[in-house]
Amino acid sequence: YFIGFPQSNTWALFQEAGLVEKLRFPGVIGCTDGTHIPIIAPSFTEGDYVNRKSFHSINVQIICDAANIITNVEAKWPGSVHDSQIFRECTLSTKFGHGEFTGYLLGDRGYPCLPYLLTPYPDPEPGPQQRYNLANCRTRARIEMTIGMLKARFQCLQRLRVTPERACDIIVACVILHNIATIRGEHCPSEPNISSDPNHEHPDPPTDIQDGRAVRDTICHNHFF
């Protein structure tokens, strides 16, 4: 009940937050990103959990709306798994591919550009492409803020000293409690850090899909000229 995608009023919430009208980014129904939750070294398949920063983690995919509600969470993948693979293999991606949702997710360069997952231009030309990238970045700040709020509320996520399976259960429980706290209007115990996660950089971004590039170019031409 406390995690469900998409929320029926997601588009209205992005409008109210000024993330649509001011930035003119059409059809956004969520923002997605991954975040690494450190864990202790597991006793089996230990190498699978070592990420690019050389520490053990769970790579968690999070999708949020404009109200900082987490509408979808994938908390089961070892730290060595790339964001793009997590999204490709998640149920939500399949539903998007089957046309079950109307609208777009926004993601960073850790994801390929898809018809339903719009990412920034890798080398934007001056003018519309730069304005598109700016709108994409400013709107995606919502997911960075949401992840920051989640970690600020639950300091245990700084490092979980349990098995990977138990860690995944704890992460999902924290997401549910975060949503309850957000719905109730409870303040974060500390100011969330909304800057990009230094442990979640993308030195080798995946290749964009041709259909995704076409959708991105159409939106860029229609809304950012």
Side-chain angles (χ1 to χ4, degrees), residues 97-127:
H98 291 162
E100 294 186 27
F101 302 120
T102 301
Y104 308 106
L105 293 176
L106 298 186
D108 63 17
R109 290 291 300 162
Y111 302 96
C113 188
L114 302 169
Y116 43 82
L117 174 56
L118 300 177
T119 62
Y121 284 95
D123 298 298
E125 298 175 358

mmCIF file of all heavy atoms in Angstrom, residues 97-127:
data_model
loop_
_atom_site.group_PDB
_atom_site.id
_atom_site.type_symbol
_atom_site.label_atom_id
_atom_site.label_comp_id
_atom_site.label_asym_id
_atom_site.label_seq_id
_atom_site.Cartn_x
_atom_site.Cartn_y
_atom_site.Cartn_z
ATOM 1 N N GLY A 97 7.576 -1.206 -21.308
ATOM 2 C CA GLY A 97 7.758 -1.709 -22.667
ATOM 3 C C GLY A 97 6.472 -2.201 -23.299
ATOM 4 O O GLY A 97 6.322 -2.162 -24.525
ATOM 5 N N HIS A 98 5.532 -2.669 -22.466
ATOM 6 C CA HIS A 98 4.242 -3.147 -22.960
ATOM 7 C C HIS A 98 3.212 -2.032 -23.063
ATOM 8 O O HIS A 98 2.045 -2.291 -23.393
ATOM 9 C CB HIS A 98 3.703 -4.255 -22.045
ATOM 10 C CG HIS A 98 4.492 -5.521 -22.125
ATOM 11 N ND1 HIS A 98 4.422 -6.511 -21.157
ATOM 12 C CD2 HIS A 98 5.399 -5.977 -23.047
ATOM 13 C CE1 HIS A 98 5.223 -7.510 -21.482
ATOM 14 N NE2 HIS A 98 5.824 -7.208 -22.629
ATOM 15 N N GLY A 99 3.636 -0.810 -22.766
ATOM 16 C CA GLY A 99 2.744 0.331 -22.905
ATOM 17 C C GLY A 99 1.722 0.482 -21.799
ATOM 18 O O GLY A 99 0.663 1.091 -21.999
ATOM 19 N N GLU A 100 2.016 -0.046 -20.603
ATOM 20 C CA GLU A 100 1.051 0.004 -19.504
ATOM 21 C C GLU A 100 1.015 1.368 -18.810
ATOM 22 O O GLU A 100 0.092 1.631 -18.039
ATOM 23 C CB GLU A 100 1.353 -1.099 -18.488
ATOM 24 C CG GLU A 100 1.149 -2.500 -19.033
ATOM 25 C CD GLU A 100 1.308 -3.574 -17.971
ATOM 26 O OE1 GLU A 100 1.068 -3.276 -16.777
ATOM 27 O OE2 GLU A 100 1.675 -4.707 -18.334
ATOM 28 N N PHE A 101 2.020 2.226 -19.062
ATOM 29 C CA PHE A 101 2.055 3.539 -18.432
ATOM 30 C C PHE A 101 2.128 4.623 -19.508
ATOM 31 O O PHE A 101 2.719 4.425 -20.568
ATOM 32 C CB PHE A 101 3.266 3.672 -17.501
ATOM 33 C CG PHE A 101 3.314 2.643 -16.409
ATOM 34 C CD1 PHE A 101 4.391 1.773 -16.307
ATOM 35 C CD2 PHE A 101 2.291 2.539 -15.475
ATOM 36 C CE1 PHE A 101 4.447 0.825 -15.307
ATOM 37 C CE2 PHE A 101 2.333 1.585 -14.484
ATOM 38 C CZ PHE A 101 3.405 0.727 -14.388
ATOM 39 N N THR A 102 1.536 5.752 -19.211
ATOM 40 C CA THR A 102 1.610 6.916 -20.085
ATOM 41 C C THR A 102 2.476 7.971 -19.411
ATOM 42 O O THR A 102 2.150 8.437 -18.316
ATOM 43 C CB THR A 102 0.214 7.503 -20.360
ATOM 44 O OG1 THR A 102 -0.592 6.489 -20.982
ATOM 45 C CG2 THR A 102 0.303 8.712 -21.271
ATOM 46 N N GLY A 103 3.570 8.324 -20.038
ATOM 47 C CA GLY A 103 4.482 9.295 -19.457
ATOM 48 C C GLY A 103 5.904 8.772 -19.462
ATOM 49 O O GLY A 103 6.188 7.677 -19.979
ATOM 50 N N TYR A 104 6.798 9.575 -18.868
ATOM 51 C CA TYR A 104 8.224 9.268 -18.927
ATOM 52 C C TYR A 104 8.841 9.234 -17.541
ATOM 53 O O TYR A 104 8.441 9.967 -16.639
ATOM 54 C CB TYR A 104 8.966 10.340 -19.748
ATOM 55 C CG TYR A 104 8.375 10.603 -21.099
ATOM 56 C CD1 TYR A 104 7.663 11.774 -21.335
ATOM 57 C CD2 TYR A 104 8.519 9.696 -22.144
ATOM 58 C CE1 TYR A 104 7.105 12.040 -22.582
ATOM 59 C CE2 TYR A 104 7.973 9.949 -23.385
ATOM 60 C CZ TYR A 104 7.268 11.120 -23.608
ATOM 61 O OH TYR A 104 6.716 11.380 -24.829
ATOM 62 N N LEU A 105 9.851 8.392 -17.409
ATOM 63 C CA LEU A 105 10.780 8.475 -16.290
ATOM 64 C C LEU A 105 11.976 9.313 -16.734
ATOM 65 O O LEU A 105 12.329 9.328 -17.915
ATOM 66 C CB LEU A 105 11.269 7.089 -15.878
ATOM 67 C CG LEU A 105 10.254 6.123 -15.272
ATOM 68 C CD1 LEU A 105 10.921 4.772 -15.030
ATOM 69 C CD2 LEU A 105 9.678 6.685 -13.985
ATOM 70 N N LEU A 106 12.612 9.985 -15.787
ATOM 71 C CA LEU A 106 13.868 10.677 -16.059
ATOM 72 C C LEU A 106 14.982 9.964 -15.317
ATOM 73 O O LEU A 106 14.836 9.601 -14.147
ATOM 74 C CB LEU A 106 13.800 12.140 -15.614
ATOM 75 C CG LEU A 106 12.761 13.034 -16.299
ATOM 76 C CD1 LEU A 106 12.949 14.482 -15.843
ATOM 77 C CD2 LEU A 106 12.853 12.936 -17.811
ATOM 78 N N GLY A 107 16.102 9.754 -16.008
ATOM 79 C CA GLY A 107 17.255 9.120 -15.392
ATOM 80 C C GLY A 107 18.531 9.806 -15.824
ATOM 81 O O GLY A 107 18.534 10.640 -16.738
ATOM 82 N N ASP A 108 19.644 9.464 -15.161
ATOM 83 C CA ASP A 108 20.933 10.048 -15.535
ATOM 84 C C ASP A 108 21.609 9.169 -16.572
ATOM 85 O O ASP A 108 21.011 8.252 -17.133
ATOM 86 C CB ASP A 108 21.799 10.283 -14.293
ATOM 87 C CG ASP A 108 22.146 8.971 -13.569
ATOM 88 O OD1 ASP A 108 22.012 7.872 -14.170
ATOM 89 O OD2 ASP A 108 22.558 9.039 -12.393
ATOM 90 N N ARG A 109 22.891 9.451 -16.834
ATOM 91 C CA ARG A 109 23.603 8.733 -17.884
ATOM 92 C C ARG A 109 23.963 7.298 -17.479
ATOM 93 O O ARG A 109 24.563 6.569 -18.278
ATOM 94 C CB ARG A 109 24.867 9.500 -18.266
ATOM 95 C CG ARG A 109 24.593 10.812 -19.000
ATOM 96 C CD ARG A 109 24.030 10.584 -20.391
ATOM 97 N NE ARG A 109 24.947 9.816 -21.235
ATOM 98 C CZ ARG A 109 24.581 9.191 -22.342
ATOM 99 N NH1 ARG A 109 23.331 9.205 -22.741
ATOM 100 N NH2 ARG A 109 25.469 8.545 -23.059
ATOM 101 N N GLY A 110 23.580 6.881 -16.305
ATOM 102 C CA GLY A 110 23.761 5.481 -15.931
ATOM 103 C C GLY A 110 22.776 4.561 -16.623
ATOM 104 O O GLY A 110 22.907 3.343 -16.545
ATOM 105 N N TYR A 111 21.804 5.157 -17.303
ATOM 106 C CA TYR A 111 20.784 4.394 -18.023
ATOM 107 C C TYR A 111 20.865 4.705 -19.512
ATOM 108 O O TYR A 111 21.236 5.816 -19.903
ATOM 109 C CB TYR A 111 19.383 4.761 -17.521
ATOM 110 C CG TYR A 111 19.172 4.531 -16.052
ATOM 111 C CD1 TYR A 111 19.334 5.576 -15.140
ATOM 112 C CD2 TYR A 111 18.816 3.283 -15.563
ATOM 113 C CE1 TYR A 111 19.146 5.370 -13.784
ATOM 114 C CE2 TYR A 111 18.622 3.066 -14.210
ATOM 115 C CZ TYR A 111 18.790 4.115 -13.328
ATOM 116 O OH TYR A 111 18.611 3.905 -11.980
ATOM 117 N N PRO A 112 20.472 3.755 -20.366
ATOM 118 C CA PRO A 112 20.346 4.081 -21.789
ATOM 119 C C PRO A 112 19.096 4.924 -21.992
ATOM 120 O O PRO A 112 18.127 4.811 -21.236
ATOM 121 C CB PRO A 112 20.193 2.707 -22.447
ATOM 122 C CG PRO A 112 19.551 1.861 -21.387
ATOM 123 C CD PRO A 112 20.107 2.346 -20.080
ATOM 124 N N CYS A 113 19.105 5.781 -22.997
ATOM 125 C CA CYS A 113 17.917 6.554 -23.325
ATOM 126 C C CYS A 113 16.918 5.630 -24.020
ATOM 127 O O CYS A 113 17.222 5.029 -25.047
ATOM 128 C CB CYS A 113 18.265 7.738 -24.216
ATOM 129 S SG CYS A 113 16.896 8.885 -24.475
ATOM 130 N N LEU A 114 15.724 5.504 -23.433
ATOM 131 C CA LEU A 114 14.677 4.628 -23.950
ATOM 132 C C LEU A 114 13.447 5.472 -24.265
ATOM 133 O O LEU A 114 13.336 6.611 -23.809
ATOM 134 C CB LEU A 114 14.323 3.558 -22.911
ATOM 135 C CG LEU A 114 15.473 2.655 -22.436
ATOM 136 C CD1 LEU A 114 15.031 1.839 -21.234
ATOM 137 C CD2 LEU A 114 15.929 1.742 -23.568
ATOM 138 N N PRO A 115 12.481 4.942 -25.008
ATOM 139 C CA PRO A 115 11.283 5.727 -25.299
ATOM 140 C C PRO A 115 10.519 6.168 -24.057
ATOM 141 O O PRO A 115 9.761 7.134 -24.106
ATOM 142 C CB PRO A 115 10.434 4.767 -26.153
ATOM 143 C CG PRO A 115 11.427 3.850 -26.786
ATOM 144 C CD PRO A 115 12.499 3.667 -25.751
ATOM 145 N N TYR A 116 10.715 5.465 -22.942
ATOM 146 C CA TYR A 116 10.006 5.788 -21.703
ATOM 147 C C TYR A 116 10.953 6.161 -20.557
ATOM 148 O O TYR A 116 10.509 6.406 -19.445
ATOM 149 C CB TYR A 116 9.135 4.597 -21.276
ATOM 150 C CG TYR A 116 9.831 3.258 -21.412
ATOM 151 C CD1 TYR A 116 10.700 2.790 -20.440
ATOM 152 C CD2 TYR A 116 9.635 2.470 -22.548
ATOM 153 C CE1 TYR A 116 11.350 1.574 -20.574
ATOM 154 C CE2 TYR A 116 10.280 1.255 -22.691
ATOM 155 C CZ TYR A 116 11.125 0.810 -21.704
ATOM 156 O OH TYR A 116 11.773 -0.389 -21.849
ATOM 157 N N LEU A 117 12.261 6.205 -20.830
ATOM 158 C CA LEU A 117 13.252 6.607 -19.837
ATOM 159 C C LEU A 117 14.208 7.596 -20.490
ATOM 160 O O LEU A 117 15.089 7.210 -21.256
ATOM 161 C CB LEU A 117 14.014 5.380 -19.306
ATOM 162 C CG LEU A 117 15.197 5.644 -18.364
ATOM 163 C CD1 LEU A 117 14.762 6.470 -17.152
ATOM 164 C CD2 LEU A 117 15.828 4.329 -17.912
ATOM 165 N N LEU A 118 14.010 8.862 -20.202
ATOM 166 C CA LEU A 118 14.750 9.921 -20.893
ATOM 167 C C LEU A 118 15.962 10.341 -20.088
ATOM 168 O O LEU A 118 15.865 10.647 -18.897
ATOM 169 C CB LEU A 118 13.825 11.118 -21.124
ATOM 170 C CG LEU A 118 12.580 10.820 -21.964
ATOM 171 C CD1 LEU A 118 11.692 12.054 -22.063
ATOM 172 C CD2 LEU A 118 12.966 10.325 -23.353
ATOM 173 N N THR A 119 17.104 10.353 -20.760
ATOM 174 C CA THR A 119 18.374 10.706 -20.126
ATOM 175 C C THR A 119 18.951 11.952 -20.814
ATOM 176 O O THR A 119 18.491 12.354 -21.883
ATOM 177 C CB THR A 119 19.370 9.539 -20.258
ATOM 178 O OG1 THR A 119 19.630 9.293 -21.648
ATOM 179 C CG2 THR A 119 18.808 8.274 -19.604
ATOM 180 N N PRO A 120 19.968 12.581 -20.222
ATOM 181 C CA PRO A 120 20.566 13.772 -20.844
ATOM 182 C C PRO A 120 21.309 13.430 -22.139
ATOM 183 O O PRO A 120 21.739 12.295 -22.351
ATOM 184 C CB PRO A 120 21.539 14.276 -19.767
ATOM 185 C CG PRO A 120 21.107 13.641 -18.496
ATOM 186 C CD PRO A 120 20.520 12.322 -18.871
ATOM 187 N N TYR A 121 21.470 14.442 -22.987
ATOM 188 C CA TYR A 121 22.355 14.308 -24.150
ATOM 189 C C TYR A 121 23.790 14.193 -23.639
ATOM 190 O O TYR A 121 24.207 14.952 -22.756
ATOM 191 C CB TYR A 121 22.247 15.533 -25.055
ATOM 192 C CG TYR A 121 21.013 15.578 -25.902
ATOM 193 C CD1 TYR A 121 19.884 16.272 -25.475
ATOM 194 C CD2 TYR A 121 20.964 14.934 -27.139
ATOM 195 C CE1 TYR A 121 18.733 16.330 -26.260
ATOM 196 C CE2 TYR A 121 19.828 14.987 -27.934
ATOM 197 C CZ TYR A 121 18.714 15.676 -27.484
ATOM 198 O OH TYR A 121 17.583 15.726 -28.263
ATOM 199 N N PRO A 122 24.579 13.269 -24.174
ATOM 200 C CA PRO A 122 25.961 13.118 -23.706
ATOM 201 C C PRO A 122 26.844 14.307 -24.061
ATOM 202 O O PRO A 122 27.711 14.696 -23.288
ATOM 203 C CB PRO A 122 26.433 11.827 -24.389
ATOM 204 C CG PRO A 122 25.519 11.653 -25.566
ATOM 205 C CD PRO A 122 24.200 12.242 -25.167
ATOM 206 N N ASP A 123 26.634 14.883 -25.229
ATOM 207 C CA ASP A 123 27.406 16.048 -25.671
ATOM 208 C C ASP A 123 26.437 17.064 -26.261
ATOM 209 O O ASP A 123 26.321 17.186 -27.494
ATOM 210 C CB ASP A 123 28.468 15.647 -26.712
ATOM 211 C CG ASP A 123 29.488 14.681 -26.136
ATOM 212 O OD1 ASP A 123 30.189 15.063 -25.180
ATOM 213 O OD2 ASP A 123 29.556 13.542 -26.645
ATOM 214 N N PRO A 124 25.711 17.796 -25.413
ATOM 215 C CA PRO A 124 24.649 18.672 -25.909
ATOM 216 C C PRO A 124 25.171 19.836 -26.733
ATOM 217 O O PRO A 124 26.183 20.449 -26.401
ATOM 218 C CB PRO A 124 23.987 19.178 -24.618
ATOM 219 C CG PRO A 124 25.083 19.119 -23.598
ATOM 220 C CD PRO A 124 25.879 17.892 -23.953
ATOM 221 N N GLU A 125 24.467 20.112 -27.818
ATOM 222 C CA GLU A 125 24.772 21.286 -28.627
ATOM 223 C C GLU A 125 24.153 22.515 -27.965
ATOM 224 O O GLU A 125 23.154 22.407 -27.254
ATOM 225 C CB GLU A 125 24.218 21.102 -30.043
ATOM 226 C CG GLU A 125 24.824 19.923 -30.793
ATOM 227 C CD GLU A 125 24.172 19.702 -32.150
ATOM 228 O OE1 GLU A 125 23.226 20.458 -32.462
ATOM 229 O OE2 GLU A 125 24.606 18.786 -32.868
ATOM 230 N N PRO A 126 24.748 23.692 -28.178
ATOM 231 C CA PRO A 126 24.171 24.908 -27.580
ATOM 232 C C PRO A 126 22.733 25.117 -28.043
ATOM 233 O O PRO A 126 22.380 24.809 -29.180
ATOM 234 C CB PRO A 126 25.090 26.019 -28.114
ATOM 235 C CG PRO A 126 26.369 25.334 -28.449
ATOM 236 C CD PRO A 126 25.985 23.962 -28.928
ATOM 237 N N GLY A 127 21.904 25.613 -27.138
ATOM 238 C CA GLY A 127 20.520 25.884 -27.476
ATOM 239 C C GLY A 127 19.578 24.845 -26.909
ATOM 240 O O GLY A 127 19.633 24.530 -25.712
#
